[in-house]
Amino acid sequence: AQTVTQSQPEMSVQEAETVTLSCTYDTSESDYYLFWYKQPPSRQMILVIRQEAYKQQNATENRFSVNFQKAAKSFSLKISDSQLGDAAMYFCAYMRGSQGNLIFGKGTKLSVKP
Amino acid sequence: GAVVSQHPSWVICKSGTSVKIECRSLDFQATTMFWYRQFPKQSLMLMATSNEGSKATYEQGVEKDKFLINHASLTLSTLTVTSAHPEDSSFYICSARDLAGGEETQYFGPGTRLLVL
């Protein structure tokens, strides 16, 4: 069975600095997708970034980028120029290509200090 | 990104009553929708997969007779919590699978807070 592990329950970053959130996963599949979702206090799940396993190039979305290491089954999220609005729970998620359902890690609570 | 709505956002009900939660994809068609449950300070746990025009697939440990799912159209899935009890109090979130442009993505509704008294 696939599993997703986020080893950092909480992280803190100074405003305008850079922070990296860790995620590892376990799978025997070759076709899958990886996601980072943000959940602010409103509890609305917001898609931050997605990565297809077959793509070697790391995905980027403005200040958000990932370091996808397929062999190591690692998928970390880097947030550059952190802003106060980035404070939230961040969930790493795995999706098996053919099924579509997401398997989530336990989340990392990110605090941003002004 | 695509928009998914969920209604109601808040519901308080008495023990023994049934509650229906609607999940709609507003600007895309979703052949597959998912229902998750989230307890405070915990992650999302998949309850069931809802496919348009067919029976839902439930995860192990989820009572299908208690959590009735109907996916009658490509834009609407409903979750009915039957004979709700206080232990059913939770945050329920739906998501819709979007395959537009060949990019597999899931978009989430804003969630429904259920409190059973």
Side-chain angles (χ1 to χ4, degrees):
Chain A
Q2 295 86 8
T3 58
V4 178
T5 302
Q6 293 178 250
S7 58
Q8 307 153 316
E10 295 188 20
M11 290 284 284
S12 180
V13 64
Q14 203 71 33
E15 193 176 8
E17 296 294 309
T18 296
V19 64
T20 299
L21 308 184
S22 301
C23 174
T24 59
Y25 59 96
D26 187 23
T27 184
S28 59
E29 303 291 327
S30 58
D31 178 26
Y32 56 89
Y33 301 81
L34 296 165
F35 302 85
W36 278 97
Y37 282 91
K38 168 185 176 181
Q39 188 179 43
S42 68
R43 301 185 81 174
Q44 168 76 60
M45 295 288 283
I46 301 167
L47 176 65
V48 175
I49 200 164
R50 65 190 296 279
Q51 173 82 44
E52 295 93 332
Y54 65 87
K55 289 186 176 179
Q56 292 186 335
Q57 187 173 6
N58 290 324
T60 62
E61 285 289 340
N62 301 313
R63 297 183 295 108
F64 299 89
S65 62
V66 297
N67 184 2
F68 174 46
Q69 301 290 326
K70 190 172 183 178
K73 295 179 182 176
S74 172
F75 183 62
S76 61
L77 174 69
K78 185 172 83 171
I79 305 175
S80 304
D81 186 25
S82 297
Q83 300 175 359
L84 295 177
D86 295 333
M89 281 291 290
Y90 285 81
F91 291 99
C92 177
Y94 167 98
M95 177 194 290
R96 188 175 170 186
S98 61
Q99 291 186 331
N101 59 288
L102 292 169
I103 299 170
F104 287 92
K106 292 188 175 182
T108 297
K109 183 178 181 181
L110 177 66
S111 302
V112 181
K113 297 179 180 178
Chain B
V3 178
V4 176
S5 70
Q6 211 172 318
H7 178 80
S9 56
W10 255 109
V11 58
I12 302 174
C13 68
K14 293 182 179 180
S15 185
T17 60
S18 294
V19 175
K20 180 185 283 190
I21 303 170
E22 292 186 349
C23 177
R24 295 181 185 271
S25 57
L26 297 185
D27 50 2
F28 67 101
Q29 294 183 328
T31 56
T32 304
M33 291 184 174
F34 303 90
W35 289 95
Y36 296 85
R37 187 172 179 175
Q38 186 181 31
F39 290 106
K41 298 185 178 181
Q42 293 190 21
S43 188
L44 281 74
M45 295 299 296
L46 179 67
M47 298 175 64
T49 300
S50 169
N51 291 298
E52 187 266 337
S54 65
K55 290 184 179 180
T57 303
Y58 291 82
E59 294 300 300
Q60 191 173 8
V62 177
E63 300 175 56
K64 61 179 66 177
D65 293 331
K66 180 163 190 64
F67 298 99
L68 299 180
I69 291 172
N70 184 281
H71 194 156
S73 77
L74 289 172
T75 59
L76 174 64
S77 176
T78 60
L79 167 68
T80 301
V81 183
T82 62
S83 186
H85 291 285
E87 57 266 29
D88 298 323
S89 299
S90 189
F91 189 64
Y92 293 88
I93 311 175
C94 72
S95 70
R97 188 178 184 186
D98 185 7
L99 298 172
E103 290 198 345
E104 172 85 60
T105 306
Q106 272 190 44
Y107 294 97
F108 285 81
T112 297
R113 291 171 176 79
L114 171 63
L115 177 61
V116 185
L117 301 176

